[in-house]
Amino acid sequence: FSVADTGPGISLDEVSHVFDRFWQTKKTARLGTGLGLSIAKGLVEAHGGRIWVESTLGQGATFFFTIPGHAG
């Protein structure tokens, strides 16, 4: 799955922190708790999946996640 936006993008030094608990970029600090992406990561990984982000400044960001299928 993926979710993309056309916002300002995420700088390379910030990409490594976006899934950290309570981390917020200085531009949007205090607009939330900094837990949403950390919770999403925990849920995806608990189901054996992977979550990541790709971004280019000025061109937005795309968040991806995979969850393996189960035979049944």
Side-chain angles (χ1 to χ4, degrees), residues 19-20 31 35 64:
F19 296 103
D20 294 349
L31 293 178
L35 289 173
F64 300 88

Side-chain angles (χ1 to χ4, degrees), residues 39-60:
I39 291 169
K41 180 180 179 184
L43 290 169
V44 168
E45 290 179 350
H47 287 88
R50 179 175 167 247
I51 188 167
W52 70 98
V53 62
E54 296 175 4
S55 182
T56 302
L57 281 176
Q59 296 181 14

Side-chain angles (χ1 to χ4, degrees), residues 6-57:
T6 57
I10 304 167
S11 69
L12 221 48
D13 60 321
E14 292 178 332
V15 164
S16 63
H17 297 286
V18 296
F19 296 103
D20 294 349
R21 269 194 288 165
F22 303 112
W23 186 85
Q24 297 180 9
T25 182
K26 291 177 183 163
K27 293 180 234 171
T28 59
R30 299 183 108 105
L31 293 178
T33 60
L35 289 173
L37 290 173
S38 175
I39 291 169
K41 180 180 179 184
L43 290 169
V44 168
E45 290 179 350
H47 287 88
R50 179 175 167 247
I51 188 167
W52 70 98
V53 62
E54 296 175 4
S55 182
T56 302
L57 281 176

